Amino acid sequence: MELRHLRYFIAVAETGSLTVAAERRLHTSQPSLSRQIRDLEDQVGVELLSRSARGVELTAAGKAFIDHARLALNQVDAAIEAARQAAQPYKQRFALGFLTGQEMTWLPRAMHILRDELPNVDVTVSSGYSPDLAEGVARGKLDLAFMRAEPDFDLAYQVVSQEPLVVLMPSDHVLASRDVVSPHDLADYPFIAMASKAKVVRAVIDAYLERSGIEIVPTQTVDNPAMVMSLVASTRSLTLIPAYLENLMPWSVVSRPLAGDVPQIDLAIGFSKANMSPVLKLFLSRVDDLITRPAPGP
């Protein structure tokens, strides 16, 4: 039995199709893939996959086999990575995460803090939704993330900036001719709300609408910034977004400031108190420099 047998078997099981697995995952021919699967079943001694009108499905034996196959491949991948790391001079790892779009402002500042350490540190960067970043920090996949202070995770947070909410609308919306938008105008048009996954932003928006005496029944809820912008443009709706998302807006939408007492949303760095990384300790010791350093120019 060879590793390719396991990889081929898992690809077929996950796609539910010999054709899809062959063409899109494995880049081989279907007859060759079928032959490899038969060889694997001959070596195991039982049928692992069954074909039906719905596609290819795992047999009871296949379901028992697949978890062990995945574990075996994971162990091989871990062994390869360990060997590669051992063959190189030791370098510390520091994993940074950013709320999607915030890396444009904060990555240059973060790298300035780390610049003296970069010869000895492998810095990795990723972006995503705030709850996903919080989970990554909590599980040790990220050392530090620029995100919202997510209440469902036992992390330490330090606020690095605040930004206002702004009104997002189609570029040719009647309100686009105004310099500012009254919160009471929001009730006159279809409104898209943030989904529950964007818990922190949704709470700030809901509190603001309640404080302003505005009752809105959202027509849709979304948590993806790109989807928010697409829906605003296509359904001619309004929504409230943190101002940093203006950096990501396509031509089809515009933003306008809110009139009056505009709510602010915190951006924080989140990290685990249990993380003893010396690079994290250095980074945290220079947070004041991070905050006061000018934003990168155009």
Side-chain angles (χ1 to χ4, degrees), residues 161-235:
S161 73
Q162 291 184 315
E163 57 187 329
L165 287 176
V166 296
V167 185
L168 186 71
M169 65 188 74
S171 297
D172 58 351
H173 197 278
V174 64
L175 296 180
S177 62
R178 302 186 184 182
D179 293 331
V180 295
V181 175
S182 166
H184 293 280
D185 290 329
L186 302 175
D188 296 332
Y189 302 95
F191 188 84
I192 297 173
M194 293 294 172
S196 57
K197 185 173 183 179
K199 180 178 294 186
V200 177
V201 176
R202 175 67 182 265
V204 171
I205 293 174
D206 287 351
Y208 170 67
L209 294 176
E210 182 178 357
R211 186 170 66 249
S212 302
I214 303 168
E215 186 173 344
I216 292 179
V217 178
T219 54
Q220 297 190 63
T221 59
V222 294
D223 56 19
N224 182 316
M227 182 60 72
V228 167
M229 295 177 191
S230 296
L231 282 174
V232 164
S234 61
T235 64

Side-chain angles (χ1 to χ4, degrees), residues 3 5 23 28 40 46 62-63 72 78 95-96 103 116 146 151 165 174 182 192 200 207 212 216 231 243 276 290:
L3 292 177
H5 290 124
E23 294 179 355
T28 187
L40 175 63
V46 294
K63 292 176 181 178
L96 281 170
E103 64 272 19
D116 293 335
F146 289 74
L165 287 176
V174 64
S182 166
I192 297 173
V200 177
S212 302
I216 292 179
L231 282 174
M276 296 293 104
L290 178 85

Side-chain angles (χ1 to χ4, degrees), residues 2-11 66-80:
E2 299 182 20
L3 292 177
R4 72 169 184 276
H5 290 124
L6 301 182
R7 297 189 192 280
Y8 286 7
F9 166 69
I10 291 172
I66 193 167
D67 288 338
H68 295 281
R70 288 186 174 123
L71 178 59
L73 290 180
N74 288 338
Q75 290 176 329
V76 169
D77 290 341
I80 292 172

Side-chain angles (χ1 to χ4, degrees), residues 96-113 125-127 146-148 160-163 242-248 267-269 283 289-298:
L96 281 170
F98 293 89
L99 192 62
T100 299
Q102 292 285 9
E103 64 272 19
M104 291 186 285
T105 298
W106 294 98
L107 179 57
R109 300 187 190 188
M111 296 305 286
H112 177 78
I113 287 179
V125 177
S126 59
S127 64
F146 289 74
M147 59 185 180
R148 310 301 177 196
V160 295
S161 73
Q162 291 184 315
E163 57 187 329
Y244 87 94
L245 288 173
E246 292 173 318
N247 295 327
L248 307 178
L267 178 72
I269 52 171
F283 194 95
D289 184 26
L290 178 85
I291 295 172
T292 57
R293 186 170 182 80

Side-chain angles (χ1 to χ4, degrees), residues 3-80:
L3 292 177
R4 72 169 184 276
H5 290 124
L6 301 182
R7 297 189 192 280
Y8 286 7
F9 166 69
I10 291 172
V12 174
E14 290 180 346
T15 60
S17 167
L18 284 163
T19 301
V20 173
E23 294 179 355
R24 300 183 186 177
R25 290 275 295 270
L26 303 172
H27 306 293
T28 187
S29 67
Q30 182 177 332
S32 175
L33 176 57
S34 297
R35 187 164 55 252
Q36 297 291 339
I37 295 298
R38 286 197 300 271
D39 289 345
L40 175 63
E41 290 177 325
D42 288 343
Q43 294 181 56
V44 176
V46 294
E47 186 181 61
L48 301 174
L49 297 166
S50 64
R51 295 169 179 78
S52 69
R54 292 174 294 180
V56 179
E57 298 179 341
L58 289 170
T59 64
K63 292 176 181 178
F65 184 78
I66 193 167
D67 288 338
H68 295 281
R70 288 186 174 123
L71 178 59
L73 290 180
N74 288 338
Q75 290 176 329
V76 169
D77 290 341
I80 292 172

Side-chain angles (χ1 to χ4, degrees), residues 223-297:
D223 56 19
N224 182 316
M227 182 60 72
V228 167
M229 295 177 191
S230 296
L231 282 174
V232 164
S234 61
T235 64
R236 306 200 57 75
S237 302
L238 304 180
T239 193
L240 296 176
I241 59 169
Y244 87 94
L245 288 173
E246 292 173 318
N247 295 327
L248 307 178
M249 293 192 312
W251 63 269
S252 57
V253 295
V254 295
S255 65
R256 293 292 180 266
L258 279 163
D261 184 15
V262 181
Q264 304 285 316
I265 297 180
D266 292 340
L267 178 72
I269 52 171
F271 56 94
S272 171
K273 294 179 181 178
N275 188 339
M276 296 293 104
S277 164
V279 184
L280 175 61
K281 183 178 180 181
L282 167 71
F283 194 95
L284 295 175
S285 72
R286 299 186 60 186
V287 168
D288 288 344
D289 184 26
L290 178 85
I291 295 172
T292 57
R293 186 170 182 80

